[in-house]
Amino acid sequence: MSTDPRTPARRRARVTVAALALPAVLSAALAGAPALADTAPPADTASPADTAPPADTASPAAGETAAEETASPAQVIADALAESPVYVDSSYEGAYSAEARERVVTVLEQHDLDLYVIVVPLVEGDEWSGEGEALASAVHDRMGGGERHFLVYDRRGDLEGHDLGSAPDDWSQPAFYGALAASYKTMDGQKTLPTLVEAAVEAALSDDPEAAYETAQQAYYDRTGQPPSGALMPARWWNPWVIGALVLALLAGIGVPLYRRLGRSRPGGLLRRRPAAPIAQHAAFDNADRAQLESLVERGERDLIELGERLSEDAGVAPQNLSRALDARDAAARVHDRMAREGATLADAVGVLVLLDLAEDALAGLRTPRRPCYANPLHGNDTRQTQWREFGGLRTIRVPLCPECARAVRDRLRPTVLPAEHEGRSVPYYEVPAEHSVWAATGYGTLTDDLVERVLSGGHRAAR
């Protein structure tokens, strides 16, 4: 099943806690040491030439020392998992004894499934933003990709299951269902780190992990007589708890409006209408977003006026450059006018600034215009072409990224992307369908060279 079979030595490996503990690596990173940069990407994964580290010309011993000093936290874990399928940070040694880990290793070594257990302290603001999925994805990449399955101890004291590199039609998801099964098996007060891991591994390695999850769930219901508070709903819709919940929801949907209507139909009815008190939710964030948008729109308007004055006065510009600058400035003005008529959006406000940059580049005579950061053009034009691979997958794109976003991508973290509104929800701007956004279709000019032409031909008027 695995694309990277374990050797006999890998099978006989025993649990060891890496000498270089994760907190030490994090401390080194915060202190300024280059702990986030991998010394070399896995052999079978794509790596951008412009971000590859220079070849080490030192002696082998010196090279090994340098590699140890610059290994990222994800690389430390990946190296440890190459020796043992269970990685436990030193901070959890007291909660997870060596004997308990040994039992899990013995079980894992008797099966062919590439299943790994990672127990590290995940916190907000760490290398993976406290997300088990980001951690699993980063380690998966540094282990060479392929089909691998990870059980990651999360911040809530439960396990997350992440099945990476599986075929698109493979829905077995042993780690995912193993983690769910363990949550039900240990939900009645018997949860400890060792029992949680052992229950998850047992379910994941079973012949049918999904059935193991459903059995554990039903056993919990049988013991308690009710579903647990806040638990995940059963996987199959015909579960009696789901049916009961649907019936209650239906009765509530029919009965409550009818009850209110009867109450309002006569004076002194059972329910009297009261004016609803508005509740301000997320007001601080909404106000900040609105202020940022207004600032960007005003900045675009000022720059439009200033650039227009310079274009009308500058007679020393080559005709072809002047023509390109006028076209880009005209495109920016059209988007700005549209916002004045229909309302401003963040995506359009940023588009105006990008088009004005293209006008400036043309005015300066640049044969190749500067490229903004693909993830977020507000990060500026100081970018380099970088290979960006999707989380948990194999597809890659090569796009210009600012240094901060490029570093995040190399470390398998999510960069700070520019959001856009689509169908009532906020998504990364590049996830809006191309037919609805000229910015997504062109990556603000980073994917194609015809952004100005598309806007002038009406592409910016696509449905929002």
Side-chain angles (χ1 to χ4, degrees):
M1 183 174 184
S2 168
T3 59
D4 181 23
R6 304 189 184 101
T7 62
R10 161 73 171 77
R11 285 295 185 189
R12 293 193 299 269
R14 290 294 179 262
V15 176
T16 57
V17 178
L20 181 59
L22 186 59
V25 180
L26 294 176
S27 299
L30 294 175
L36 295 182
D38 290 333
T39 55
D44 59 344
T45 57
S47 175
D50 56 347
T51 60
D56 191 359
T57 57
S59 63
E64 292 173 0
T65 302
E68 292 176 357
E69 292 177 352
T70 60
S72 69
Q75 188 64 57
V76 170
I77 298 174
D79 291 343
L81 291 179
E83 301 298 328
S84 169
V86 177
Y87 178 88
V88 179
D89 184 79
S90 57
S91 59
Y92 284 103
E93 285 184 341
Y96 202 176
S97 67
E99 292 79 10
R101 286 174 263 162
E102 186 75 16
R103 290 196 300 269
V104 174
V105 172
T106 301
V107 171
L108 290 173
E109 290 175 349
Q110 295 173 352
H111 291 78
D112 293 330
L113 184 69
D114 276 324
L115 179 64
Y116 303 88
V117 178
I118 303 176
V119 180
V120 299
L122 288 174
V123 294
E124 190 75 30
D126 63 15
E127 306 303 322
W128 309 283
S129 300
E131 297 181 5
E133 180 183 6
L135 166 59
S137 183
V139 173
H140 174 257
D141 286 348
R142 285 154 179 78
M143 294 184 73
E147 182 180 335
R148 299 179 191 273
H149 311 269
F150 298 89
L151 293 168
V152 181
Y153 194 58
D154 65 19
R155 291 183 291 172
R156 301 168 302 170
D158 291 316
L159 285 176
E160 299 178 8
H162 301 286
D163 304 275
L164 304 180
S166 302
D169 58 348
D170 183 6
W171 294 96
S172 59
Q173 298 179 289
F176 174 75
Y177 285 114
L180 289 181
S183 69
Y184 280 101
K185 287 185 176 181
T186 60
M187 203 176 289
D188 52 2
Q190 300 179 6
K191 180 168 69 174
T192 64
L193 183 52
T195 59
L196 189 66
V197 172
E198 290 178 11
V201 169
E202 179 184 10
L205 296 179
S206 65
D207 294 335
D208 190 342
E210 183 177 4
Y213 150 62
E214 293 176 349
T215 300
Q217 181 188 64
Q218 189 60 52
Y220 179 88
Y221 293 164
D222 294 341
R223 291 196 307 271
T224 62
Q226 59 182 2
S229 174
L232 291 174
M233 292 303 293
R236 303 199 183 279
W237 67 269
W238 44 261
N239 186 285
W241 289 109
V242 175
I243 296 176
L246 291 175
V247 171
L248 289 175
L250 180 61
L251 291 176
I254 296 175
V256 171
L258 178 61
Y259 183 58
R260 289 182 176 177
R261 198 156 46 244
L262 290 173
R264 292 195 299 266
S265 65
R266 51 200 172 120
L270 295 175
L271 291 177
R272 296 183 179 179
R273 298 188 67 180
R274 297 181 180 178
I279 300 176
Q281 294 184 358
H282 310 294
F285 295 97
D286 291 341
N287 291 338
D289 291 343
R290 189 177 301 109
Q292 181 196 32
L293 177 57
E294 292 175 354
S295 175
L296 291 174
V297 172
E298 291 175 1
R299 173 181 160 191
E301 185 174 8
R302 289 195 307 269
D303 290 352
L304 271 169
I305 296 173
E306 191 271 337
L307 180 60
E309 293 174 350
R310 282 196 289 123
L311 288 172
S312 62
E313 297 172 357
D314 199 337
V317 181
Q320 64 271 23
N321 294 339
L322 181 60
S323 176
R324 289 169 46 216
L326 287 169
D327 286 345
R329 196 263 178 193
D330 184 23
R334 294 191 185 190
V335 178
H336 183 271
D337 292 344
R338 178 202 183 190
M339 289 194 296
R341 294 191 308 269
E342 304 176 12
T345 67
L346 180 60
D348 284 347
V350 173
V352 169
L353 300 179
V354 169
L355 290 166
L356 289 173
D357 279 350
L358 291 176
E360 293 283 1
D361 291 347
L363 196 60
L366 297 181
R367 296 178 61 88
T368 302
R370 295 168 297 169
R371 303 293 190 186
C373 176
Y374 174 78
N376 190 334
L378 292 176
H379 293 171
N381 296 322
D382 180 18
T383 60
R384 294 185 64 183
Q385 290 291 327
T386 306
Q387 200 87 355
W388 188 354
R389 188 185 327 155
E390 64 179 345
F391 276 93
L394 300 177
R395 293 186 304 173
T396 62
I397 55 174
R398 192 170 177 80
V399 292
L401 295 175
C402 68
E404 182 179 352
C405 288
R407 187 180 308 112
V409 167
R410 285 195 300 269
D411 291 334
R412 299 297 290 162
L413 304 176
R414 298 183 188 278
T416 305
V417 302
L418 180 72
E421 294 297 320
H422 178 63
E423 295 184 345
R425 62 191 185 96
S426 180
V427 299
Y429 84 88
Y430 46 73
E431 291 186 1
V432 177
E435 61 271 19
H436 291 170
S437 169
V438 69
W439 317 121
T442 64
Y444 283 96
T446 62
L447 303 178
T448 66
D449 295 325
D450 61 346
L451 174 60
V452 171
E453 290 77 7
R454 291 194 189 204
V455 172
L456 292 177
S457 63
H460 65 293
R461 293 196 296 269
R464 299 193 193 188

